[in-house]
Amino acid sequence: MRKLLFIPYLIWIVLFVVAPLGLMVGYSFFDISGNPTLENYGAFFSSEYFEMTLSSFWYAFLITLFSLLVSYPLALAIRQTKHKMFWLLLIILPTWINLLLKTYAFIGMFGKEGLVNAVAAAFGLGELQLLFSDVAFIIVSVYIFIPFMLLPIFNAVDGIDSNLLSAARDLGASKWDTLRRVLLPLSLPGIKTGIQVVFIPSLSLFMITRLITGNKVITLGTAIEQQFLTTENWGMGATIGVFLIIAMMLVMTVTSGRSNKETGRVGRL
């Protein structure tokens, strides 16, 4: 009887995971005219797509890094508050708003007559051209991904026994030593999960690059969109998608794994 309960799950996996992946891999072996070819894979290893891949990883790295630098101290601060769930809810609330609406809101803020330039003019800084820049792209992306980085980190740090921190202080550990040798090792699983849920989607961003940067920032996600919707070269778009999935699997492999070795070394002060 229990085996029958897995049938709907298996059907879902086959229809919405295995079949789409199979179609994408199959399309990658056809050119724009529908003829079988391996040229798509050869084109992907050209200098153009190599630079695009490096650019995608670089921007994904920056987005993940800044999201982590903001989210980790924020998670520690929320952990110390009395109403943790209330403050956490305030940070999560923006995720309920449509991504397109939030992006257009930033376009208004970064525009010539937006809030950023109004504040800059008040302080005599002159006009700031943030819109259509890679800086704006990183700011908007970090803002969007902070809740996804914050949640797993908060769950990790909130589950740490406060007695361990008290014991570290009683043994003479400074705040920095407590953070480095107790908090960080114990919260490492949450950090790894946060990196996964931020870095992987950052590789395939395309709508933000179009609206915020005016396509001045080209990522693998942007290239896939252009190949499918603009040039209608489904084969090349599928080929880029195949390598994007491989890259995501590599990221998951690097950031996953057991953390018992890290947590087992806690307390060596």
Side-chain angles (χ1 to χ4, degrees):
M1 182 63 183
R2 291 183 178 180
K3 293 182 179 180
L4 295 178
L5 297 176
F6 286 98
I7 294 178
Y9 174 75
L10 292 176
I11 294 175
W12 177 274
I13 292 295
V14 171
L15 290 179
F16 299 103
V17 178
V18 178
L21 289 177
L23 285 173
M24 184 170 61
V25 173
Y27 273 118
S28 67
F29 292 101
F30 291 90
D31 60 17
I32 194 172
S33 301
N35 301 315
T37 182
L38 293 176
E39 293 181 359
N40 294 328
Y41 287 90
F44 184 83
F45 289 101
S46 64
S47 59
E48 177 184 357
Y49 284 100
F50 180 74
E51 293 176 1
M52 187 184 303
T53 302
L54 290 181
S55 176
S56 298
F57 271 87
W58 173 245
Y59 283 114
F61 168 76
L62 291 178
I63 293 169
T64 305
L65 176 63
F66 288 124
S67 298
L68 177 61
L69 292 178
V70 173
S71 298
Y72 196 87
L74 186 58
L76 295 179
I78 295 176
R79 182 181 184 273
Q80 303 297 325
T81 60
K82 184 177 180 181
H83 305 287
K84 302 176 185 178
M85 294 299 105
F86 171 75
W87 294 109
L88 197 62
L89 180 62
L90 287 181
I91 298 173
I92 297 175
L93 274 177
T95 62
W96 299 357
I97 303 174
N98 184 272
L99 179 61
L100 187 62
L101 294 177
K102 290 187 288 187
T103 304
Y104 275 113
F106 273 101
I107 292 176
M109 291 175 59
F110 292 154
K112 291 184 178 180
E113 300 179 358
L115 177 63
V116 173
N117 275 316
V119 174
F123 286 94
L125 299 177
E127 184 177 300
L128 300 178
Q129 183 58 42
L130 279 178
L131 195 60
F132 304 128
S133 67
D134 53 354
V135 175
F137 168 66
I138 294 174
I139 292 174
V140 175
S141 300
V142 169
Y143 167 78
I144 291 171
F145 284 117
I146 278 178
F148 301 98
M149 177 71 77
L150 176 65
L151 277 175
I153 294 178
F154 173 78
N155 289 333
V157 299
D158 192 47
I160 298 175
D161 191 348
S162 299
N163 291 328
L164 293 175
L165 306 181
S166 300
R169 289 192 293 268
D170 292 341
L171 292 172
S174 63
K175 291 183 178 180
W176 168 248
D177 287 331
T178 303
L179 173 65
R180 183 169 59 92
R181 300 189 178 186
V182 180
L183 279 172
L184 280 176
L186 290 176
S187 60
L188 192 58
I191 295 175
K192 289 181 177 180
T193 302
I195 291 174
Q196 287 181 358
V197 298
V198 172
F199 188 90
I200 292 175
S202 298
L203 285 174
S204 56
L205 288 173
F206 67 92
M207 185 184 69
I208 298 176
T209 59
R210 179 181 294 276
L211 297 177
I212 296 296
T213 70
N215 277 345
K216 290 182 179 179
V217 173
I218 303 297
T219 64
L220 292 176
T222 308
I224 293 174
E225 182 207 19
Q226 291 177 347
Q227 292 293 339
F228 273 99
L229 301 181
T230 304
T231 62
E232 297 186 359
N233 188 352
W234 288 23
M236 192 64 219
T239 303
I240 301 173
V242 169
F243 282 99
L244 184 59
I245 290 176
I246 294 174
M248 292 177 178
M249 293 176 63
L250 290 175
V251 172
M252 293 184 66
T253 302
V254 171
T255 56
S256 63
R258 298 178 180 180
S259 56
N260 55 345
K261 292 183 179 181
E262 294 91 343
T263 56
R265 295 176 182 174
V266 175
R268 297 184 182 180
L269 304 175

